Amino acid sequence: MRNVLHASRVVLAVVISLGVAVSAWAQTTNTGAFDKLSPGDQKIARALFEAQKTNGATAPLTLDQIAAKKQHTGWGEVFKQMKAQGLVTDKNLGQAVSNFEHHHPELATKPDNAKPDKPEKLEKPDKPEKPDKPEKIEKPARPEKPGR
């Protein structure tokens, strides 16, 4: 009975290990993570992708890999990780995005977040004029007190 219990624990540990390994592998392959990003986040991911410098020591990340990193943290942290790996040489994330916008001015425009056109507002009827205030009546001067 002990052997069966021990064998089932070993099998369970192997299955869990394989599940973790497959999950990690899936995150490094085409996960479609980039396609799930908002247009603004896609621009930042593209900027980081193009900012990568290949030095032969480390392979550049794909757009999906960069996007997958964003799912777990903010863009600033993604930039710091890539800088620590020697993938980017820009001073900061803003510089990477600015360089990208400089090289791709057609993509630099901000997404149109304008509200959809509203129907024209109906003109309000003219407000009636307020009546003029009555003129102030001047107070009579104080009489002087005797003895002063």
Side-chain angles (χ1 to χ4, degrees), residues 2-143:
R2 272 184 152 182
N3 289 339
V4 172
L5 186 60
H6 181 66
S8 65
R9 285 183 181 166
V10 169
V11 169
L12 181 63
V14 169
V15 169
I16 291 173
S17 298
L18 284 174
V20 170
V22 168
S23 174
W25 175 77
Q27 289 180 354
T28 59
T29 60
N30 284 340
T31 59
F34 177 78
D35 295 330
K36 294 176 186 172
L37 293 176
S38 69
D41 283 345
Q42 285 183 352
K43 181 175 84 170
I44 295 171
R46 282 190 183 106
L48 289 172
F49 177 76
E50 287 194 11
Q52 294 181 96
K53 308 292 183 209
T54 53
N55 58 7
T58 26
L61 299 175
T62 66
L63 283 171
D64 280 333
Q65 289 172 325
I66 293 170
K69 286 180 174 283
K70 166 62 171 88
Q71 292 174 349
H72 304 293
T73 183
W75 282 120
E77 283 300 314
V78 172
F79 175 82
K80 287 178 186 176
Q81 291 171 5
M82 292 176 70
K83 187 165 178 120
Q85 293 172 343
L87 293 171
V88 292
T89 58
D90 292 313
K91 182 179 176 183
N92 54 38
L93 178 61
Q95 188 179 46
V97 173
S98 178
N99 290 339
F100 175 78
E101 289 175 341
H102 180 73
H103 289 103
H104 302 282
E106 71 282 1
L107 299 175
T109 59
K110 294 182 179 178
D112 185 18
N113 292 335
K115 294 181 180 177
D117 291 336
K118 293 183 180 179
E120 290 186 31
K121 291 184 178 180
L122 298 174
E123 289 187 29
K124 293 182 181 179
D126 291 335
K127 291 183 180 179
E129 290 184 26
K130 292 183 179 179
D132 292 338
K133 291 184 178 181
E135 291 183 26
K136 288 187 177 182
I137 301 173
E138 289 186 31
K139 294 181 180 180
R142 280 188 181 180

